[in-house]
Amino acid sequence: MEKERFEVFNTPSYIYLMYDSIDKLTLRKSGTVYNLENLGLMSNNYNIYSPVSGKIIGTKKVKNLNNEVNTLVVENDYKDKCSKIKTGKYVYDYYKRKETNELFDTFNISGKYNGKKFLMIDLTIKNNYLENKYIVKKYNYEILETIDTIQKIFSIDTAYIAVNNQIIQNLLEEYSGIYPNIKFVSRVINNEYSVSYNGYDIIKIYNVLKFNRYYNTKYFTVVSKKETIVVKTKPNILVSELLMFLNLEGNINIITYSNEKMNNYDGILSESIKTIVVN
């Protein structure tokens, strides 16, 4: 049986934050940044957040998927210092639709609900891509609570969770009786009437609604010849630094959430990437 393990890598040396216009950045002259801090906007109004505290030491062009992008290089001080941030609502289904849409835009959450009739949550495991399994182990109740909250805020009658693993289904069924409008199905159903999320998306939404903040954590599945590793780390680190931490080397291929595959990858591990294959 193939080996499987879970690793936490919260101490990358550097974070690479994409930007496309200096004019849209809001930086201190000292270069100091705080954990969870908004540092400005991309031209498409995508907000730029730092997942660590530290100092901007310069800029660098690096690869992100098929593109070479400009990045701010943040040297991690390993302290995760935060400036004062606003907290979310204790009972977070008190949010109204307009307020929630504004929060989703602020924290880069996708999903437009006008005319939509159901939520589709993909918690399946495919070809040793196991991050959903570990997310559900840690956040089974929070996942269901967040799905239920989205339904209430946006008046969505039904949510479907696609599950193909008995461990995941058993964990969710511990609490599913509280939420009769959440149903389990064996495959993902997407059409013009659905809003679709994966497990990582739901945890990001949970953090936005519960704590009013950017989620500074990323889960990746790393598949090597000998084992499969689920890694909890920071977004926008270099793939080379992560593999050095895992003591892995070889040709690096990546797979995105939209199932694009890229070979011989040597760039940053952005939120679009779900799997790293080391041959």
Side-chain angles (χ1 to χ4, degrees):
M1 184 177 180
E2 192 174 67
K3 291 182 181 178
E4 173 187 323
R5 63 184 166 103
F6 180 73
E7 290 283 353
V8 178
F9 180 44
N10 282 333
T11 55
S13 301
Y14 302 99
I15 300 291
Y16 297 81
L17 302 178
M18 289 179 284
Y19 74 95
D20 54 16
S21 173
I22 291 289
D23 294 337
K24 289 182 173 287
L25 299 177
T26 52
L27 308 177
R28 297 179 183 85
K29 290 182 178 179
S30 64
T32 301
V33 299
Y34 290 101
N35 182 27
L36 311 177
E37 183 177 18
N38 186 314
L39 302 180
L41 292 168
M42 301 284 281
S43 294
N44 62 0
N45 290 326
Y46 188 91
N47 286 275
I48 303 166
Y49 292 94
S50 177
V52 300
S53 62
K55 187 172 183 177
I56 297 170
I57 61 170
T59 62
K60 185 175 183 178
K61 284 188 176 291
V62 296
K63 193 164 186 179
N64 176 49
L65 305 182
N66 284 319
N67 301 311
E68 190 174 60
V69 296
N70 294 315
T71 66
L72 302 170
V73 183
V74 179
E75 185 175 28
N76 190 2
D77 65 10
Y78 309 112
K79 296 177 181 178
D80 280 346
K81 293 183 291 187
C82 293
S83 59
K84 187 176 181 180
I85 55 176
K86 182 182 175 182
T87 59
K89 296 187 177 183
Y90 180 70
V91 183
Y92 71 168
D93 56 7
Y94 284 179
Y95 284 108
K96 303 302 182 186
R97 178 187 287 254
K98 181 180 177 182
E99 183 183 12
T100 305
N101 279 327
E102 289 172 353
L103 275 176
F104 281 12
D105 288 342
T106 298
F107 293 103
N108 307 324
I109 302 296
S110 63
K112 300 300 179 185
Y113 292 86
N114 291 339
K116 306 300 183 181
K117 299 186 182 299
F118 67 92
L119 290 177
M120 186 71 243
I121 314 301
D122 183 359
L123 295 182
T124 57
I125 292 174
K126 303 172 185 175
N127 302 322
N128 295 324
Y129 310 151
L130 301 178
E131 64 269 17
N132 279 332
K133 179 177 174 181
Y134 286 84
I135 289 172
V136 174
K137 278 184 178 179
K138 184 172 176 61
Y139 298 109
N140 57 340
Y141 175 73
E142 289 84 352
I143 287 170
L144 293 168
E145 182 186 23
T146 303
I147 294 169
D148 182 66
T149 297
I150 295 170
Q151 289 180 262
K152 290 176 180 176
I153 293 170
F154 293 103
S155 301
I156 301 291
D157 291 335
T158 305
Y160 297 101
I161 300 178
V163 184
N164 65 349
N165 177 273
Q166 197 60 49
I167 293 173
I168 292 178
Q169 185 158 341
N170 290 345
L171 287 166
L172 293 170
E173 285 179 343
E174 290 181 20
Y175 299 103
S176 62
I178 307 171
Y179 306 108
N181 293 324
I182 299 177
K183 314 291 185 184
F184 295 109
V185 294
S186 59
R187 63 183 181 87
V188 175
I189 306 164
N190 285 327
N191 58 40
E192 67 271 26
Y193 300 111
S194 66
V195 177
S196 300
Y197 295 118
N198 55 56
Y200 179 58
D201 292 331
I202 293 296
I203 299 308
K204 287 196 292 185
I205 293 171
Y206 171 77
N207 276 267
V208 166
L209 297 179
K210 195 73 170 181
F211 304 113
N212 202 343
R213 70 187 184 198
Y214 166 72
Y215 187 49
N216 65 344
T217 299
K218 181 74 176 88
Y219 290 82
F220 296 99
T221 301
V222 180
V223 181
S224 71
K225 295 176 182 178
K226 295 182 179 179
E227 61 183 340
T228 298
I229 311 165
V230 175
V231 183
K232 178 184 175 184
T233 186
K234 303 289 186 180
N236 299 316
I237 66 175
L238 284 180
V239 62
S240 56
E241 186 173 12
L242 176 61
L243 295 188
M244 188 180 298
F245 168 78
L246 296 172
N247 198 26
L248 291 174
E249 53 184 34
N251 292 325
I252 302 163
N253 306 322
I254 61 166
I255 302 170
T256 69
Y257 282 108
S258 57
N259 289 317
E260 293 178 89
K261 297 181 181 180
M262 297 170 200
N263 300 328
N264 302 314
Y265 186 74
D266 182 21
I268 58 174
L269 295 172
S270 64
E271 294 188 4
S272 301
I273 299 170
K274 68 174 179 178
T275 304
I276 305 160
V277 181
V278 184
N279 296 316

